[in-house]
Amino acid sequence: MTNITEKTKAIVIQSIRYGDSSLIVKMLTEEYGIQSYMVKGVFGGKSKFRPALFQNMTILDIVAASGKGSLSFIKEISLTHNYNDILFNIKKSSIILFMCELLSKSIPEAETDKVLFDYVHKTLLWLDEAKDNYTNIPLVFAMRLCQHLGFFPNTESYKENYHFDIFEGKFTREDNLLYPIDTELSKDFYDVCSQEINQINLNINNKKRRQLLEIVVYYYKLHIDNVKEIQSYEILREIFE
């Protein structure tokens, strides 16, 4: 049986050690959506692949081939972008950990979306170069991701002094909600939903940032069955304290 070869740009979102020397790497690919690949012998002395290539959110060009099992294996790989700051900045590293977990848990396997890939790719490049004003990226990234996944809140329903109904995904004048969000925080959440990733203009303090992040995480839990917990959320809270 002839192996089928796949060539695509890819972003690493999870790496799991397999056996003594190999990795199973989950990637967001431009051509094939979320895919998992076997990387054989990466920790062996003769491997042509460095383990550092498979850190979270590394941007790669890969050539993969189908094997006898269910996983394709990577034959060729090249780094397409050398990060200047992300890997050495603990705050930025915590942000990409959060991004990885959201992507891994919310995107169906093998569902191709080139627009989504481009969005994640551009977010990473912008985050790497950002000198300041990036602490709100987790909020904005998560809500823009909702737009790609089809459960973005109905922002047209917003009016002054309305509450955000997290279950219905819209704003309402009613205040007897199961998960009450006060009008001030609802306005801040509306502002988050109105931002673009490369033009973030939010004037919020750390307390509000934590509250908004809690709303975002709960919103994901409600609207995606696969999201039970976001473990990196707690890390973000501590880092941005």
Side-chain angles (χ1 to χ4, degrees):
M1 182 177 176
T2 304
N3 286 348
I4 299 173
T5 302
E6 303 172 352
K7 184 176 182 180
T8 182
K9 293 186 182 299
I11 298 170
V12 177
I13 59 176
Q14 187 181 44
S15 296
I16 300 172
R17 191 150 182 169
Y18 181 80
D20 293 331
S21 62
S22 299
L23 281 173
I24 295 176
V25 185
K26 181 183 279 190
M27 298 183 177
L28 175 64
T29 72
E30 183 177 33
E31 299 294 335
Y32 310 104
I34 293 285
Q35 295 285 338
S36 294
Y37 297 100
M38 175 72 73
V39 189
K40 296 182 178 179
V42 70
F43 296 104
K46 297 181 179 179
S47 175
K48 62 180 179 180
F49 304 134
R50 294 178 289 111
L53 287 170
F54 305 102
Q55 295 183 76
N56 287 339
M57 291 303 194
T58 307
I59 305 171
L60 305 166
D61 278 322
I62 66 169
V63 177
S66 59
K68 295 180 180 179
S70 59
L71 291 178
S72 297
F73 62 93
I74 292 180
K75 294 175 59 180
E76 300 174 22
I77 193 168
S78 60
L79 186 66
T80 62
H81 179 74
N82 262 316
Y83 287 126
N84 296 313
D85 191 40
I86 278 179
L87 301 180
F88 314 103
N89 182 317
I90 189 169
K91 289 186 177 180
K92 290 184 178 181
S93 295
S94 300
I95 290 172
I96 65 170
L97 189 64
F98 178 74
M99 291 170 62
C100 282
E101 190 171 3
L102 278 188
L103 292 168
S104 179
K105 292 182 175 179
S106 61
I107 302 176
E109 189 105 358
E111 186 171 298
T112 303
D113 187 338
K114 291 188 178 183
V115 176
L116 171 60
F117 180 89
D118 187 57
Y119 166 65
V120 177
H121 183 267
K122 287 181 176 179
T123 299
L124 290 169
L125 298 184
W126 187 85
L127 175 61
D128 189 40
E129 296 298 325
K131 302 295 187 241
D132 50 31
N133 198 30
Y134 58 82
T135 52
N136 294 315
I137 278 187
L139 297 170
V140 178
F141 175 80
M143 296 318 298
R144 285 298 165 195
L145 181 59
C146 288
Q147 199 167 31
H148 288 277
L149 298 177
F151 61 101
F152 190 69
N154 180 358
T155 53
E156 293 183 2
S157 62
Y158 176 76
K159 292 183 180 180
E160 189 175 355
N161 295 323
Y162 268 35
H163 300 268
F164 181 62
D165 184 340
I166 198 166
F167 290 91
E168 297 295 330
K170 65 180 183 180
F171 296 87
T172 176
R173 69 174 65 187
E174 296 179 15
D175 57 6
N176 58 337
L177 304 172
L178 290 176
Y179 188 99
I181 301 172
D182 66 42
T183 56
E184 183 179 347
L185 198 58
S186 292
K187 170 64 167 64
D188 292 326
F189 182 74
Y190 169 77
D191 289 340
V192 168
C193 293
S194 303
Q195 302 294 308
E196 296 293 341
I197 201 73
N198 61 341
Q199 295 178 334
I200 297 175
N201 182 22
L202 290 169
N203 184 22
I204 54 176
N205 56 31
N206 281 340
K207 180 181 178 181
K208 279 193 175 181
R209 189 174 294 112
R210 291 194 303 272
Q211 291 173 322
L212 288 166
L213 192 59
E214 184 177 314
I215 293 171
V216 168
V217 168
Y218 194 51
Y219 190 66
Y220 266 78
K221 289 180 182 180
L222 284 175
H223 293 274
I224 297 185
D225 292 339
N226 197 39
V227 179
K228 305 302 180 186
E229 291 296 332
I230 302 292
Q231 296 175 341
S232 53
Y233 157 64
E234 294 298 335
I235 298 173
L236 270 185
R237 287 189 61 181
E238 292 179 13
I239 292 297
F240 288 110
E241 190 73 30

